[in-house]
Amino acid sequence: MDSESDRSEHTPLVGRKNVDRRHHASTSSGVVTAVEDVSFWKSGRASVVLCILFTELCERLTFYSISANLVLFCTSVLKVDSATALTISLAFTGTSFFLPLFGGYIADTIAGRFNTIYGSALLYLVGTALLPAISYEYEQGFEGPAKLAYFAIALFLVAIGTGGIKANVGPFGAQQLEEFGEGAIRSFFNWFYWFINVGSGISFSLVVYIQQNYNFFYGFLIPTVTILLANLLFLLKRREYINHPPEGSALTNIVKITATSTCGRCCCCRCCLGRRERRNSDPVESPNIQSQFDYAKESNGGKYLDSEVESTKSILRLLPIFGTFILYWTVYNQMSSTYFLQGERLRLKYNDFTLPAAILNLFDVIAILILVPFFDRILYPGLQKLGVNFTLLRRIGTGMFLATCSVIIAAVVEIERKRIMEEGHYIAQNLSTETFNASDLSVFVQIPQFAFIGASEVFASVTGLEFAYSQAPVALQGVIMGLFLLTTGLGSYFGSLLVLIVNSISGMYGTPWLPDDPNEGHLEYFFFLLALLMGINIVIYLVVSNSYEYVKPTTYIEFDADDAANYSGEQGHSGRRKQPPRADGGTSESEI
């Protein structure tokens, strides 16, 4: 592996100072030149970027203030059973991470990023404002189907808002710093990730405490104010934003190329493949044909640019890896669902102070805030000096293993929790408007399972983003981001489906594993099932990743004005062009 490839393998999410400080930009003639990288703090656009960062902080604070105690709200205010509450929570999370794919598409093809973010934030505000109205204790009562209908509308509007913002706010922030080089963009994403965790940390501590120990009206009023603040902050620098008009989405061509290429090479499908008619009855086979997709290339008689076809092939190579993330996210989302239910049945009250059941999520946040800089500045460089090739795919596999350990620990905690209750060591615990029989075992026994999830996130999620970014063609990085977020949504949907299937099957032979009262069910069985499924998933991941070939880092190349004109629709305003990833350009990593 050459030095450039080695360096790409250890590109951190939190940047180091010894990275290449050169950035390439095009001149008016189309020739690529190099400019010096600067930190965004010294770019002169710090105030603009800070508005975007604080917008994201407020949006994440809002989202987690809604999702963190959603199970408790459903059981205590809406009066639904625990299994239904779990399904609602997972379906909401799934939809919120499913819609960014459409949010990115709308921004690319119709509205542009600024308009998409602002329009989504307005819908977000309307949906969030409905929640305190629903949770207010009216004298005449506001119950039944009408309340559930308004609740569903509120969550759907919040999910739409999340989808539009999540897909675009990060790229929009980086867009403000493109002219200052990769160092400024990397610095932006470092702080972007930090601001996200600050917002989630506030929601998992202060807001969930108010929701649990006072009432949900004030607990939902806070996120309503913060999303309103996000709207105002985002508009504050609207005249100073660099905002590119929509130029069309690469997703359309990807779908077309994939659809036509799967038609086959039969004569009746040649028009599908876009191959130009040739005078010879039998087209001459090109030595450049290495897969079915190559027939769609212009160089082989097709109607698509060779770079477009290669970009499509590069995305399809990523899909099997992304597919294994679905079950990982199912396990990850247990923090806000089954881990929460378990926490409600552990000791939360100490003297006159009752801890929020969702507060253990803070240990996930703390683990991330500590481990990201530790791994980047100490662990990864140390392993590199020792000659240990801790590749991106190896890190992801490590993260999946740690997630499996988390649910195993949760199962052991659940067995111990129930054992202590059976010995008569339990207490009556009041949370919001509900009273639970809880084990006398401290809720802090959950710290390891949350910490393991946090560590797994650093290995799997953070590295997954780096993997997707480094392996995607520059023009398709937005699409790749949407696809990666889509796996989060699919993981939540699968978790919802799994709850329904498990309860249906286990209910046929006695008590469901996840009944209304977890004290009467078998939550530990559910955790062991997740561990088994993750074990199978890891085996599949090892097989898929073992055959994956890393794409070498794309490099800027010089091109003339005619080339610039030909590729202007593909490359956008900057005139930059990158070499498409070669089908054979990957570094063979049979050792993963």
Side-chain angles (χ1 to χ4, degrees):
M1 191 180 297
D2 57 26
S3 59
E4 178 69 16
S5 185
D6 283 337
R7 185 166 63 252
S8 74
E9 274 295 2
H10 295 275
T11 299
L13 208 62
V14 178
R16 293 189 292 271
K17 294 183 180 179
N18 61 346
V19 295
D20 184 7
R21 303 289 294 174
R22 307 293 288 177
H23 171 60
H24 298 76
S26 62
T27 64
S28 58
S29 65
V31 178
V32 176
T33 60
V35 297
E36 193 73 12
D37 273 349
V38 296
S39 167
F40 86 79
W41 293 106
K42 300 178 182 179
S43 66
R45 296 187 60 79
S47 61
V48 173
V49 173
L50 281 173
C51 282
I52 297 174
L53 291 175
F54 275 104
T55 297
E56 177 64 5
L57 186 154
C58 291
E59 187 276 326
R60 288 291 87 187
L61 196 159
T62 301
F63 179 81
Y64 287 115
S65 295
I66 294 170
S67 63
N69 265 337
L70 195 57
V71 172
L72 180 61
F73 178 78
C74 290
T75 55
S76 63
V77 178
L78 299 182
K79 307 300 182 183
V80 302
D81 60 80
S82 296
T84 303
L86 289 178
T87 302
I88 291 172
S89 176
L90 292 170
F92 168 67
T93 303
T95 304
S96 297
F97 284 96
F98 181 81
L99 293 177
L101 189 63
F102 297 96
Y105 181 81
I106 290 171
D108 289 343
T109 57
I110 301 172
R113 282 177 177 151
F114 176 85
N115 291 331
T116 303
I117 293 171
Y118 183 53
S120 300
L122 291 176
L123 291 175
Y124 208 139
L125 176 61
V126 173
T128 308
L130 284 174
L131 292 174
I134 294 169
S135 56
Y136 185 78
E137 297 180 3
Y138 297 93
E139 292 184 1
Q140 298 296 325
F142 178 46
E143 305 294 337
K147 192 170 189 174
L148 288 172
Y150 278 105
F151 178 65
I153 292 172
L155 290 187
F156 187 62
L157 289 175
V158 170
I160 293 175
T162 302
I165 294 174
K166 192 74 176 172
N168 295 296
V169 68
F172 186 69
Q175 182 176 293
Q176 310 307 309
L177 300 164
E178 284 179 337
E179 62 185 291
F180 298 103
E182 295 179 1
I185 294 175
R186 186 181 298 113
S187 177
F188 165 77
F189 277 111
N190 297 339
W191 287 100
F192 184 75
Y193 197 76
W194 189 84
F195 272 72
I196 286 175
N197 281 277
V198 170
S200 62
I202 294 172
S203 63
F204 286 130
S205 53
L206 175 63
V207 180
V208 297
Y209 177 80
I210 293 173
Q211 290 172 344
Q212 180 177 297
N213 294 289
Y214 290 92
N215 58 56
F216 275 95
F217 173 76
Y218 293 111
F220 283 146
L221 195 60
I222 294 173
T224 304
V225 172
T226 56
I227 194 61
L228 175 61
L229 183 60
N231 276 267
L232 297 176
L233 286 169
F234 188 65
L235 289 176
L236 192 61
K237 294 289 183 176
R238 65 188 183 279
R239 299 185 186 277
E240 300 179 40
Y241 290 140
I242 297 173
N243 185 34
H244 306 321
E247 298 175 346
S249 175
L251 185 62
T252 304
N253 273 353
I254 292 171
V255 173
K256 288 180 180 178
I257 292 171
T258 303
T260 57
S261 297
T262 54
C263 287
R265 293 172 56 187
C266 61
C267 294
C268 62
C269 293
R270 284 179 189 169
C271 59
C272 251
L273 286 167
R275 300 184 70 187
R276 297 189 181 97
E277 290 296 330
R278 301 174 189 238
R279 294 185 178 180
N280 297 333
S281 57
D282 294 323
V284 178
E285 293 295 333
S286 169
N288 295 324
I289 301 294
Q290 298 180 356
S291 74
Q292 192 67 27
F293 288 89
D294 291 330
Y295 285 97
K297 292 181 178 179
E298 277 189 339
S299 61
N300 295 321
K303 66 177 182 179
Y304 297 101
L305 295 174
D306 288 17
S307 61
E308 292 176 335
V309 176
E310 287 298 329
S311 295
T312 301
K313 289 163 66 177
S314 70
I315 286 182
L316 295 179
R317 284 196 297 268
L318 292 173
L319 292 183
I321 300 291
F322 282 4
T324 60
F325 270 90
I326 294 174
L327 195 59
Y328 168 78
W329 290 119
T330 299
V331 172
Y332 176 87
N333 286 320
Q334 300 310 305
M335 287 194 300
S336 60
S337 53
T338 54
Y339 286 11
F340 181 87
L341 284 178
Q342 186 184 63
E344 286 181 324
R345 273 74 181 178
L346 291 165
R347 174 178 282 278
L348 291 166
K349 189 171 183 178
Y350 294 89
N351 297 325
D352 295 328
F353 184 77
T354 301
L355 293 168
I359 199 171
L360 269 294
N361 284 276
L362 278 177
F363 289 94
D364 168 65
V365 174
I366 291 170
I368 293 169
L369 293 177
I370 293 174
L371 292 178
V372 166
F374 172 75
F375 285 174
D376 175 64
R377 298 184 181 275
I378 298 175
L379 180 63
Y380 294 154
L383 290 175
Q384 187 176 20
K385 289 179 180 178
L386 294 173
V388 178
N389 189 18
F390 200 23
T391 65
L392 297 177
L393 291 175
R394 284 176 176 171
R395 297 180 210 173
I396 293 171
T398 302
M400 291 185 178
F401 174 75
L402 292 175
T404 306
C405 293
S406 175
V407 286
I408 293 174
I409 293 171
V412 173
V413 168
E414 181 65 12
I415 292 171
E416 184 65 13
R417 184 191 72 83
K418 293 171 71 174
R419 184 190 67 79
I420 290 176
M421 289 191 69
E422 290 171 357
E423 293 177 354
H425 301 292
Y426 60 89
I427 58 175
Q429 189 155 262
N430 296 316
L431 300 179
S432 187
T433 60
E434 286 193 290
T435 300
F436 303 103
N437 285 328
S439 171
D440 200 30
L441 188 64
S442 172
V443 70
F444 291 111
V445 299
Q446 285 189 310
I447 290 177
Q449 65 201 60
F450 278 92
F452 267 83
I453 284 287
S456 78
E457 188 176 356
V458 175
F459 279 111
S461 177
V462 175
T463 307
L465 289 172
E466 183 181 347
F467 174 75
Y469 183 85
S470 66
Q471 298 297 290
V474 64
L476 301 179
Q477 285 167 352
V479 175
I480 291 293
M481 180 65 71
L483 289 173
F484 188 75
L485 292 172
L486 178 62
T487 64
T488 309
L490 294 176
S492 293
Y493 287 143
F494 180 74
S496 300
L497 180 63
L498 191 62
V499 169
L500 295 175
I501 294 174
V502 163
N503 268 2
S504 297
I505 295 177
S506 60
M508 295 169 57
Y509 300 96
T511 305
W513 287 3
L514 298 168
D516 186 35
D517 184 0
N519 290 327
E520 299 174 359
H522 295 285
L523 198 55
E524 68 277 13
Y525 294 170
F526 185 71
F527 290 142
F528 281 129
L529 175 62
L530 286 174
L532 175 62
L533 293 175
M534 269 302 292
I536 297 172
N537 187 66
I538 289 173
V539 172
I540 296 173
Y541 172 79
L542 291 174
V543 173
V544 171
S545 60
N546 193 54
S547 59
Y548 182 83
E549 291 186 352
Y550 287 96
V551 174
K552 289 184 178 180
T554 53
T555 55
Y556 291 93
I557 59 175
E558 294 188 1
F559 59 102
D560 57 28
D562 292 335
D563 283 331
N566 292 336
Y567 283 86
S568 60
E570 183 182 355
Q571 302 303 327
H573 81 292
S574 66
R576 292 180 296 167
R577 179 184 173 192
K578 287 187 175 183
Q579 292 177 332
R582 307 190 337 247
D584 61 344
T587 301
S588 179
E589 290 287 352
S590 60
E591 75 278 10
I592 316 178

